[in-house]
Short mmCIF file of all heavy atoms in Angstrom, two decimals:
data_model
loop_
_atom_site.label_atom_id
_atom_site.label_comp_id
_atom_site.label_asym_id
_atom_site.label_seq_id
_atom_site.Cartn_x
_atom_site.Cartn_y
_atom_site.Cartn_z
N TRP A 28 188.54 95.58 -22.85
CA TRP A 28 188.03 94.48 -23.63
C TRP A 28 188.98 93.33 -23.64
O TRP A 28 190.13 93.52 -23.27
CB TRP A 28 187.79 95.06 -25.03
CG TRP A 28 187.10 94.20 -26.00
CD1 TRP A 28 185.87 93.73 -25.96
CD2 TRP A 28 187.65 93.74 -27.20
NE1 TRP A 28 185.58 93.01 -27.05
CE2 TRP A 28 186.67 93.00 -27.82
CE3 TRP A 28 188.89 93.85 -27.81
CZ2 TRP A 28 186.86 92.41 -29.04
CZ3 TRP A 28 189.08 93.28 -29.01
CH2 TRP A 28 188.07 92.56 -29.62
N ASP A 29 189.09 92.35 -23.97
CA ASP A 29 188.61 91.24 -24.70
C ASP A 29 189.53 90.08 -24.55
O ASP A 29 190.34 90.08 -23.66
CB ASP A 29 188.40 91.55 -26.17
CG ASP A 29 189.63 91.96 -26.89
OD1 ASP A 29 190.68 91.42 -26.61
OD2 ASP A 29 189.58 92.85 -27.72
N THR A 30 189.50 89.16 -25.42
CA THR A 30 190.41 88.03 -25.33
C THR A 30 190.98 87.75 -26.69
O THR A 30 190.43 88.11 -27.72
CB THR A 30 189.68 86.76 -24.86
OG1 THR A 30 188.73 86.40 -25.85
CG2 THR A 30 189.00 86.97 -23.54
N LEU A 31 192.11 87.11 -26.68
CA LEU A 31 192.73 86.67 -27.92
C LEU A 31 192.94 85.18 -27.83
O LEU A 31 193.49 84.68 -26.86
CB LEU A 31 194.07 87.37 -28.13
CG LEU A 31 194.79 87.01 -29.42
CD1 LEU A 31 194.03 87.56 -30.61
CD2 LEU A 31 196.19 87.55 -29.42
N GLU A 32 192.49 84.46 -28.82
CA GLU A 32 192.55 83.01 -28.77
C GLU A 32 193.14 82.48 -30.06
O GLU A 32 192.72 82.86 -31.15
CB GLU A 32 191.14 82.46 -28.58
CG GLU A 32 191.09 80.94 -28.49
CD GLU A 32 189.71 80.49 -28.13
OE1 GLU A 32 189.10 81.11 -27.26
OE2 GLU A 32 189.24 79.51 -28.72
N TRP A 33 194.15 81.63 -29.93
CA TRP A 33 194.72 81.01 -31.13
C TRP A 33 193.90 79.76 -31.44
O TRP A 33 193.73 78.89 -30.61
CB TRP A 33 196.15 80.58 -30.90
CG TRP A 33 197.01 81.59 -30.22
CD1 TRP A 33 197.59 81.47 -29.00
CD2 TRP A 33 197.40 82.87 -30.72
NE1 TRP A 33 198.31 82.59 -28.70
CE2 TRP A 33 198.21 83.46 -29.74
CE3 TRP A 33 197.13 83.58 -31.89
CZ2 TRP A 33 198.77 84.72 -29.90
CZ3 TRP A 33 197.69 84.83 -32.04
CH2 TRP A 33 198.49 85.40 -31.06
N THR A 34 193.41 79.68 -32.65
CA THR A 34 192.69 78.49 -33.09
C THR A 34 193.31 78.07 -34.42
O THR A 34 193.13 78.75 -35.43
CB THR A 34 191.19 78.76 -33.28
OG1 THR A 34 190.67 79.25 -32.04
CG2 THR A 34 190.47 77.49 -33.66
N LYS A 35 194.06 77.00 -34.43
CA LYS A 35 194.77 76.57 -35.62
C LYS A 35 193.97 75.51 -36.36
O LYS A 35 193.50 74.55 -35.76
CB LYS A 35 196.15 76.02 -35.24
CG LYS A 35 197.03 77.06 -34.56
CD LYS A 35 198.41 76.53 -34.27
CE LYS A 35 199.28 77.60 -33.63
NZ LYS A 35 200.64 77.12 -33.35
N ILE A 36 193.83 75.73 -37.67
CA ILE A 36 193.06 74.82 -38.49
C ILE A 36 193.94 74.32 -39.63
O ILE A 36 194.62 75.11 -40.29
CB ILE A 36 191.80 75.52 -39.08
CG1 ILE A 36 190.93 76.03 -37.95
CG2 ILE A 36 191.05 74.60 -39.99
CD1 ILE A 36 189.72 76.78 -38.41
N GLU A 37 193.95 73.04 -39.87
CA GLU A 37 194.79 72.47 -40.92
C GLU A 37 194.07 71.32 -41.61
O GLU A 37 193.77 70.31 -40.97
CB GLU A 37 196.09 71.94 -40.32
CG GLU A 37 197.00 71.29 -41.33
CD GLU A 37 198.23 70.69 -40.69
OE1 GLU A 37 198.30 70.67 -39.45
OE2 GLU A 37 199.09 70.22 -41.42
N PRO A 38 193.79 71.43 -42.92
CA PRO A 38 193.85 72.66 -43.72
C PRO A 38 192.54 73.41 -43.60
O PRO A 38 191.60 72.92 -42.99
CB PRO A 38 194.06 72.12 -45.13
CG PRO A 38 193.29 70.84 -45.12
CD PRO A 38 193.43 70.26 -43.72
N VAL A 39 192.46 74.58 -44.20
CA VAL A 39 191.22 75.34 -44.21
C VAL A 39 191.14 76.11 -45.51
O VAL A 39 192.15 76.51 -46.08
CB VAL A 39 191.17 76.32 -43.01
CG1 VAL A 39 192.20 77.40 -43.15
CG2 VAL A 39 189.78 76.93 -42.87
N THR A 40 189.95 76.28 -46.04
CA THR A 40 189.77 77.02 -47.28
C THR A 40 189.86 78.50 -47.00
O THR A 40 189.77 78.96 -45.86
CB THR A 40 188.40 76.69 -47.90
OG1 THR A 40 187.39 77.07 -46.96
CG2 THR A 40 188.28 75.20 -48.19
N ARG A 41 189.99 79.26 -48.03
CA ARG A 41 190.08 80.71 -47.87
C ARG A 41 188.78 81.30 -47.34
O ARG A 41 188.76 82.30 -46.67
CB ARG A 41 190.43 81.36 -49.22
CG ARG A 41 191.83 81.02 -49.69
CD ARG A 41 192.87 81.67 -48.80
NE ARG A 41 194.21 81.39 -49.26
CZ ARG A 41 195.29 81.83 -48.66
NH1 ARG A 41 195.17 82.55 -47.56
NH2 ARG A 41 196.48 81.55 -49.11
N SER A 42 187.68 80.68 -47.71
CA SER A 42 186.39 81.18 -47.27
C SER A 42 185.92 80.41 -46.05
O SER A 42 185.80 79.19 -46.10
CB SER A 42 185.35 81.03 -48.39
OG SER A 42 184.08 81.45 -47.95
N VAL A 43 185.70 81.09 -44.98
CA VAL A 43 185.27 80.47 -43.74
C VAL A 43 183.90 81.02 -43.37
O VAL A 43 183.72 82.23 -43.24
CB VAL A 43 186.27 80.74 -42.60
CG1 VAL A 43 185.82 80.06 -41.33
CG2 VAL A 43 187.66 80.27 -42.99
N SER A 44 182.95 80.13 -43.22
CA SER A 44 181.59 80.56 -42.88
C SER A 44 181.48 80.83 -41.39
O SER A 44 181.95 80.06 -40.57
CB SER A 44 180.59 79.47 -43.28
OG SER A 44 179.30 79.80 -42.82
N HIS A 45 180.85 81.95 -41.07
CA HIS A 45 180.67 82.29 -39.66
C HIS A 45 179.81 81.27 -38.95
O HIS A 45 179.95 81.05 -37.76
CB HIS A 45 180.04 83.68 -39.53
CG HIS A 45 180.90 84.76 -40.10
ND1 HIS A 45 180.47 86.05 -40.21
CD2 HIS A 45 182.17 84.74 -40.59
CE1 HIS A 45 181.44 86.81 -40.74
NE2 HIS A 45 182.47 86.03 -40.99
N ALA A 46 178.92 80.63 -39.69
CA ALA A 46 178.02 79.67 -39.07
C ALA A 46 178.76 78.42 -38.62
O ALA A 46 178.27 77.66 -37.79
CB ALA A 46 176.90 79.28 -40.04
N ASN A 47 179.98 78.22 -39.18
CA ASN A 47 180.73 77.02 -38.83
C ASN A 47 181.64 77.23 -37.63
O ASN A 47 182.40 76.34 -37.28
CB ASN A 47 181.58 76.58 -40.03
CG ASN A 47 180.71 76.13 -41.19
OD1 ASN A 47 179.61 75.64 -40.98
ND2 ASN A 47 181.20 76.31 -42.42
N PHE A 48 181.58 78.41 -37.01
CA PHE A 48 182.43 78.68 -35.87
C PHE A 48 181.82 78.03 -34.63
O PHE A 48 181.08 78.65 -33.88
CB PHE A 48 182.59 80.20 -35.65
CG PHE A 48 183.41 80.88 -36.70
CD1 PHE A 48 183.44 82.25 -36.79
CD2 PHE A 48 184.18 80.14 -37.60
CE1 PHE A 48 184.21 82.89 -37.74
CE2 PHE A 48 184.95 80.77 -38.56
CZ PHE A 48 184.97 82.14 -38.64
N GLU A 49 182.16 76.79 -34.41
CA GLU A 49 181.62 76.10 -33.25
C GLU A 49 182.19 76.63 -31.95
O GLU A 49 181.62 76.41 -30.89
CB GLU A 49 181.90 74.60 -33.37
CG GLU A 49 181.27 73.96 -34.60
CD GLU A 49 181.61 72.48 -34.71
OE1 GLU A 49 182.43 72.03 -33.87
OE2 GLU A 49 181.09 71.82 -35.60
N PHE A 50 183.31 77.34 -32.05
CA PHE A 50 183.96 77.84 -30.84
C PHE A 50 183.44 79.21 -30.43
O PHE A 50 183.88 79.76 -29.43
CB PHE A 50 185.47 77.92 -31.05
CG PHE A 50 185.88 78.39 -32.41
CD1 PHE A 50 185.86 79.74 -32.72
CD2 PHE A 50 186.26 77.49 -33.38
CE1 PHE A 50 186.22 80.17 -33.96
CE2 PHE A 50 186.63 77.92 -34.63
CZ PHE A 50 186.62 79.27 -34.93
N LEU A 51 182.52 79.80 -31.18
CA LEU A 51 181.92 81.06 -30.76
C LEU A 51 181.04 80.84 -29.54
O LEU A 51 180.30 79.87 -29.47
CB LEU A 51 181.10 81.67 -31.90
CG LEU A 51 181.88 82.24 -33.09
CD1 LEU A 51 180.91 82.78 -34.12
CD2 LEU A 51 182.85 83.32 -32.65
N LEU A 52 181.13 81.75 -28.61
CA LEU A 52 180.34 81.64 -27.39
C LEU A 52 178.92 82.14 -27.63
O LEU A 52 178.58 82.66 -28.70
CB LEU A 52 181.00 82.44 -26.27
CG LEU A 52 182.43 82.03 -25.91
CD1 LEU A 52 182.99 82.96 -24.85
CD2 LEU A 52 182.47 80.60 -25.42
N GLU A 53 178.11 81.98 -26.63
CA GLU A 53 176.73 82.43 -26.71
C GLU A 53 176.68 83.95 -26.91
O GLU A 53 177.35 84.71 -26.21
CB GLU A 53 175.98 82.05 -25.43
CG GLU A 53 174.53 82.45 -25.41
CD GLU A 53 173.85 82.07 -24.11
OE1 GLU A 53 174.54 81.49 -23.24
OE2 GLU A 53 172.66 82.36 -23.95
N ALA A 54 175.90 84.38 -27.89
CA ALA A 54 175.71 85.79 -28.23
C ALA A 54 176.98 86.44 -28.77
O ALA A 54 177.03 87.67 -28.93
CB ALA A 54 175.20 86.59 -27.03
N GLU A 55 177.99 85.68 -29.11
CA GLU A 55 179.20 86.23 -29.71
C GLU A 55 179.02 86.29 -31.23
O GLU A 55 178.60 85.31 -31.86
CB GLU A 55 180.42 85.38 -29.35
CG GLU A 55 181.73 85.95 -29.87
CD GLU A 55 182.93 85.09 -29.50
OE1 GLU A 55 182.72 83.96 -29.03
OE2 GLU A 55 184.07 85.55 -29.70
N ARG A 56 179.38 87.41 -31.81
CA ARG A 56 179.21 87.57 -33.26
C ARG A 56 180.46 88.24 -33.84
O ARG A 56 181.14 89.02 -33.17
CB ARG A 56 177.97 88.40 -33.56
CG ARG A 56 178.02 89.83 -33.08
CD ARG A 56 176.72 90.58 -33.34
NE ARG A 56 176.84 92.00 -33.02
CZ ARG A 56 176.70 92.49 -31.81
NH1 ARG A 56 176.47 91.69 -30.78
NH2 ARG A 56 176.82 93.80 -31.60
N VAL A 57 180.72 87.93 -35.10
CA VAL A 57 181.88 88.47 -35.80
C VAL A 57 181.54 89.86 -36.32
O VAL A 57 180.53 90.06 -37.00
CB VAL A 57 182.30 87.54 -36.95
CG1 VAL A 57 183.45 88.16 -37.74
CG2 VAL A 57 182.71 86.18 -36.41
N LEU A 58 182.41 90.85 -36.01
CA LEU A 58 182.21 92.22 -36.46
C LEU A 58 183.00 92.55 -37.71
O LEU A 58 182.53 93.29 -38.57
CB LEU A 58 182.59 93.20 -35.34
CG LEU A 58 181.85 93.03 -34.00
CD1 LEU A 58 182.34 94.06 -33.00
CD2 LEU A 58 180.35 93.14 -34.19
N ASP A 59 184.21 92.01 -37.82
CA ASP A 59 185.03 92.27 -39.00
C ASP A 59 186.08 91.17 -39.09
O ASP A 59 186.32 90.44 -38.11
CB ASP A 59 185.70 93.64 -38.92
CG ASP A 59 185.88 94.27 -40.30
OD1 ASP A 59 186.10 93.51 -41.27
OD2 ASP A 59 185.78 95.51 -40.40
N GLU A 60 186.70 91.07 -40.26
CA GLU A 60 187.69 90.03 -40.46
C GLU A 60 188.72 90.49 -41.48
O GLU A 60 188.46 91.34 -42.32
CB GLU A 60 187.03 88.74 -40.93
CG GLU A 60 186.25 88.86 -42.24
CD GLU A 60 185.50 87.59 -42.56
OE1 GLU A 60 184.36 87.45 -42.10
OE2 GLU A 60 186.08 86.75 -43.27
N GLY A 61 189.91 89.92 -41.35
CA GLY A 61 190.99 90.21 -42.29
C GLY A 61 191.61 88.92 -42.78
O GLY A 61 191.94 88.04 -41.98
N HIS A 62 191.80 88.78 -44.08
CA HIS A 62 192.34 87.55 -44.66
C HIS A 62 193.80 87.76 -45.04
O HIS A 62 194.24 88.88 -45.34
CB HIS A 62 191.53 87.16 -45.90
CG HIS A 62 190.10 86.87 -45.61
ND1 HIS A 62 189.67 85.67 -45.09
CD2 HIS A 62 188.98 87.65 -45.75
CE1 HIS A 62 188.35 85.71 -44.94
NE2 HIS A 62 187.90 86.90 -45.33
N GLY A 63 194.55 86.69 -45.04
CA GLY A 63 195.96 86.76 -45.39
C GLY A 63 196.79 87.54 -44.40
O GLY A 63 197.81 88.13 -44.75
N VAL A 64 196.36 87.55 -43.14
CA VAL A 64 197.07 88.27 -42.09
C VAL A 64 198.17 87.39 -41.52
O VAL A 64 197.99 86.17 -41.36
CB VAL A 64 196.10 88.69 -40.98
CG1 VAL A 64 196.82 89.44 -39.87
CG2 VAL A 64 194.97 89.54 -41.55
N VAL A 65 199.31 87.99 -41.23
CA VAL A 65 200.45 87.25 -40.67
C VAL A 65 200.63 87.66 -39.21
O VAL A 65 200.69 88.85 -38.90
CB VAL A 65 201.74 87.53 -41.46
CG1 VAL A 65 202.93 86.83 -40.80
CG2 VAL A 65 201.58 87.07 -42.90
N LEU A 66 200.68 86.68 -38.35
CA LEU A 66 201.02 86.92 -36.95
C LEU A 66 202.54 86.95 -36.84
O LEU A 66 203.21 85.92 -36.96
CB LEU A 66 200.43 85.83 -36.05
CG LEU A 66 200.75 85.93 -34.57
CD1 LEU A 66 200.20 87.21 -33.97
CD2 LEU A 66 200.20 84.72 -33.81
N VAL A 67 203.07 88.14 -36.65
CA VAL A 67 204.52 88.31 -36.69
C VAL A 67 205.19 87.55 -35.56
O VAL A 67 206.31 87.04 -35.72
CB VAL A 67 204.86 89.82 -36.62
CG1 VAL A 67 206.37 90.02 -36.58
CG2 VAL A 67 204.26 90.56 -37.80
N ASN A 68 204.54 87.43 -34.42
CA ASN A 68 205.15 86.74 -33.27
C ASN A 68 205.59 85.33 -33.62
O ASN A 68 206.66 84.87 -33.20
CB ASN A 68 204.16 86.68 -32.11
CG ASN A 68 203.70 88.04 -31.67
OD1 ASN A 68 203.12 88.78 -32.45
ND2 ASN A 68 203.95 88.38 -30.41
N THR A 69 204.77 84.62 -34.38
CA THR A 69 205.06 83.22 -34.70
C THR A 69 205.26 82.98 -36.19
O THR A 69 205.47 81.83 -36.60
CB THR A 69 203.91 82.33 -34.21
OG1 THR A 69 202.68 82.75 -34.83
CG2 THR A 69 203.76 82.42 -32.70
N ASP A 70 205.18 84.05 -37.00
CA ASP A 70 205.34 83.95 -38.44
C ASP A 70 204.34 82.94 -39.03
O ASP A 70 204.71 82.05 -39.80
CB ASP A 70 206.78 83.55 -38.80
CG ASP A 70 207.07 83.72 -40.29
OD1 ASP A 70 206.40 84.57 -40.92
OD2 ASP A 70 207.92 82.99 -40.82
N GLU A 71 203.09 83.09 -38.67
CA GLU A 71 202.03 82.23 -39.17
C GLU A 71 200.98 83.08 -39.86
O GLU A 71 200.66 84.18 -39.40
CB GLU A 71 201.40 81.42 -38.04
CG GLU A 71 202.34 80.41 -37.41
CD GLU A 71 201.71 79.69 -36.23
OE1 GLU A 71 201.28 80.40 -35.30
OE2 GLU A 71 201.66 78.45 -36.25
N ALA A 72 200.43 82.56 -40.94
CA ALA A 72 199.40 83.27 -41.70
C ALA A 72 198.04 82.68 -41.39
O ALA A 72 197.90 81.50 -41.07
CB ALA A 72 199.69 83.17 -43.20
N GLY A 73 197.02 83.52 -41.52
CA GLY A 73 195.68 83.05 -41.25
C GLY A 73 194.66 84.15 -41.43
O GLY A 73 194.93 85.16 -42.09
N THR A 74 193.52 83.94 -40.81
CA THR A 74 192.42 84.90 -40.89
C THR A 74 192.17 85.47 -39.50
O THR A 74 192.07 84.72 -38.53
CB THR A 74 191.15 84.23 -41.42
OG1 THR A 74 191.42 83.65 -42.70
CG2 THR A 74 190.02 85.24 -41.56
N LEU A 75 192.08 86.77 -39.42
CA LEU A 75 191.87 87.46 -38.16
C LEU A 75 190.42 87.93 -38.08
O LEU A 75 189.92 88.61 -38.98
CB LEU A 75 192.82 88.66 -38.04
CG LEU A 75 192.73 89.49 -36.75
CD1 LEU A 75 193.12 88.66 -35.55
CD2 LEU A 75 193.62 90.73 -36.87
N PHE A 76 189.73 87.55 -37.00
CA PHE A 76 188.34 87.93 -36.79
C PHE A 76 188.24 88.81 -35.55
O PHE A 76 188.88 88.53 -34.53
CB PHE A 76 187.45 86.69 -36.60
CG PHE A 76 187.38 85.79 -37.80
CD1 PHE A 76 188.27 84.75 -37.95
CD2 PHE A 76 186.42 86.00 -38.77
CE1 PHE A 76 188.21 83.93 -39.06
CE2 PHE A 76 186.34 85.18 -39.88
CZ PHE A 76 187.25 84.14 -40.03
N VAL A 77 187.45 89.84 -35.65
CA VAL A 77 187.12 90.69 -34.50
C VAL A 77 185.67 90.40 -34.14
O VAL A 77 184.77 90.61 -34.96
CB VAL A 77 187.31 92.18 -34.81
CG1 VAL A 77 186.93 93.03 -33.59
CG2 VAL A 77 188.73 92.47 -35.24
N THR A 78 185.44 89.91 -32.91
CA THR A 78 184.09 89.67 -32.44
C THR A 78 183.74 90.70 -31.38
O THR A 78 184.59 91.52 -30.99
CB THR A 78 183.93 88.25 -31.87
OG1 THR A 78 184.54 88.19 -30.57
CG2 THR A 78 184.57 87.21 -32.78
N ASN A 79 182.53 90.65 -30.91
CA ASN A 79 182.12 91.57 -29.85
C ASN A 79 182.68 91.17 -28.49
O ASN A 79 182.36 91.81 -27.49
CB ASN A 79 180.60 91.67 -29.79
CG ASN A 79 179.96 90.32 -29.51
OD1 ASN A 79 180.52 89.27 -29.82
ND2 ASN A 79 178.76 90.33 -28.95
N PHE A 80 183.53 90.14 -28.47
CA PHE A 80 184.10 89.69 -27.21
C PHE A 80 185.62 89.55 -27.27
O PHE A 80 186.31 89.80 -26.29
CB PHE A 80 183.47 88.36 -26.80
CG PHE A 80 184.09 87.69 -25.61
CD1 PHE A 80 184.24 88.37 -24.41
CD2 PHE A 80 184.55 86.39 -25.68
CE1 PHE A 80 184.81 87.76 -23.30
CE2 PHE A 80 185.12 85.77 -24.59
CZ PHE A 80 185.25 86.46 -23.40
N ARG A 81 186.17 89.18 -28.42
CA ARG A 81 187.59 88.84 -28.46
C ARG A 81 188.12 88.90 -29.88
O ARG A 81 187.39 89.15 -30.84
CB ARG A 81 187.80 87.43 -27.90
CG ARG A 81 186.93 86.39 -28.58
CD ARG A 81 187.07 85.03 -27.96
NE ARG A 81 186.05 84.11 -28.45
CZ ARG A 81 185.98 82.83 -28.14
NH1 ARG A 81 186.87 82.31 -27.34
NH2 ARG A 81 185.02 82.08 -28.63
N LEU A 82 189.42 88.65 -30.01
CA LEU A 82 190.08 88.46 -31.29
C LEU A 82 190.25 86.97 -31.53
O LEU A 82 190.66 86.24 -30.62
CB LEU A 82 191.45 89.12 -31.31
CG LEU A 82 191.53 90.63 -31.49
CD1 LEU A 82 192.96 91.09 -31.32
CD2 LEU A 82 191.01 91.05 -32.84
N LEU A 83 189.96 86.53 -32.75
CA LEU A 83 190.18 85.13 -33.12
C LEU A 83 191.12 85.10 -34.31
O LEU A 83 190.88 85.78 -35.31
CB LEU A 83 188.86 84.45 -33.47
CG LEU A 83 187.88 84.19 -32.33
CD1 LEU A 83 186.58 83.64 -32.87
CD2 LEU A 83 188.48 83.23 -31.33
N PHE A 84 192.18 84.34 -34.18
CA PHE A 84 193.13 84.20 -35.28
C PHE A 84 193.19 82.74 -35.70
O PHE A 84 193.66 81.90 -34.93
CB PHE A 84 194.51 84.70 -34.87
CG PHE A 84 195.52 84.71 -35.98
CD1 PHE A 84 195.36 85.56 -37.06
CD2 PHE A 84 196.61 83.86 -35.96
CE1 PHE A 84 196.27 85.58 -38.08
CE2 PHE A 84 197.54 83.87 -36.99
CZ PHE A 84 197.37 84.74 -38.06
N LEU A 85 192.67 82.45 -36.88
CA LEU A 85 192.63 81.08 -37.39
C LEU A 85 193.85 80.87 -38.27
O LEU A 85 193.99 81.49 -39.34
CB LEU A 85 191.35 80.82 -38.19
CG LEU A 85 190.11 80.41 -37.36
CD1 LEU A 85 189.70 81.54 -36.44
CD2 LEU A 85 188.96 80.03 -38.26
N VAL A 86 194.73 80.03 -37.83
CA VAL A 86 196.00 79.80 -38.52
C VAL A 86 195.81 78.75 -39.59
O VAL A 86 195.22 77.71 -39.36
CB VAL A 86 197.09 79.37 -37.52
CG1 VAL A 86 198.40 79.11 -38.24
CG2 VAL A 86 197.26 80.43 -36.45
N VAL A 87 196.35 79.05 -40.78
CA VAL A 87 196.29 78.11 -41.90
C VAL A 87 197.68 77.52 -42.09
O VAL A 87 198.66 78.24 -42.25
CB VAL A 87 195.83 78.83 -43.18
CG1 VAL A 87 195.72 77.83 -44.33
CG2 VAL A 87 194.52 79.52 -42.95
N LYS A 88 197.76 76.20 -42.06
CA LYS A 88 199.03 75.52 -42.30
C LYS A 88 199.20 75.33 -43.81
O LYS A 88 198.44 74.61 -44.45
CB LYS A 88 199.05 74.16 -41.60
CG LYS A 88 199.11 74.26 -40.09
CD LYS A 88 200.43 74.84 -39.63
CE LYS A 88 200.52 74.82 -38.11
NZ LYS A 88 201.79 75.36 -37.62
N ILE A 89 200.19 76.01 -44.37
CA ILE A 89 200.44 75.93 -45.80
C ILE A 89 201.80 75.29 -46.03
O ILE A 89 202.80 75.66 -45.41
CB ILE A 89 200.39 77.33 -46.44
CG1 ILE A 89 199.02 77.98 -46.17
CG2 ILE A 89 200.66 77.26 -47.94
CD1 ILE A 89 198.91 79.39 -46.69
N GLN A 90 201.85 74.32 -46.93
CA GLN A 90 203.09 73.60 -47.19
C GLN A 90 203.95 74.29 -48.25
O GLN A 90 205.00 73.81 -48.60
CB GLN A 90 202.76 72.17 -47.67
CG GLN A 90 201.90 71.39 -46.70
CD GLN A 90 202.59 71.16 -45.39
OE1 GLN A 90 203.82 71.10 -45.33
NE2 GLN A 90 201.82 71.02 -44.32
N SER A 91 203.45 75.39 -48.79
CA SER A 91 204.15 76.05 -49.90
C SER A 91 205.31 76.88 -49.38
O SER A 91 205.75 76.76 -48.24
CB SER A 91 203.17 76.90 -50.69
OG SER A 91 202.59 77.87 -49.85
N THR A 92 205.78 77.80 -50.22
CA THR A 92 206.96 78.59 -49.89
C THR A 92 206.69 79.49 -48.69
O THR A 92 205.56 79.88 -48.41
CB THR A 92 207.35 79.46 -51.10
OG1 THR A 92 206.23 80.30 -51.42
CG2 THR A 92 207.68 78.57 -52.27
N SER A 93 207.75 79.80 -48.01
CA SER A 93 207.62 80.64 -46.82
C SER A 93 207.39 82.09 -47.22
O SER A 93 207.67 82.51 -48.35
CB SER A 93 208.89 80.53 -45.97
OG SER A 93 210.00 80.96 -46.71
#
Side-chain angles (χ1 to χ4, degrees):
W28 188 64
D29 61 38
T30 65
L31 182 69
E32 181 173 318
W33 315 115
T34 303
K35 299 184 179 181
I36 301 177
E37 178 184 7
V39 67
T40 60
R41 292 292 182 180
S42 177
V43 181
S44 173
H45 297 173
N47 294 330
F48 290 168
E49 299 178 354
F50 39 79
L51 288 179
L52 301 176
E53 181 181 359
E55 183 180 11
R56 64 183 187 277
V57 176
L58 303 180
D59 212 327
E60 60 186 87
H62 298 280
V64 180
V65 176
L66 178 62
V67 177
N68 302 60
T69 58
D70 192 26
E71 294 176 303
T74 303
L75 180 63
F76 296 91
V77 179
T78 75
N79 59 334
F80 172 54
R81 54 184 169 176
L82 282 174
L83 290 174
F84 185 66
L85 275 64
V86 179
V87 182
K88 291 293 185 179
I89 302 177
Q90 304 296 333
S91 59
T92 58
S93 60

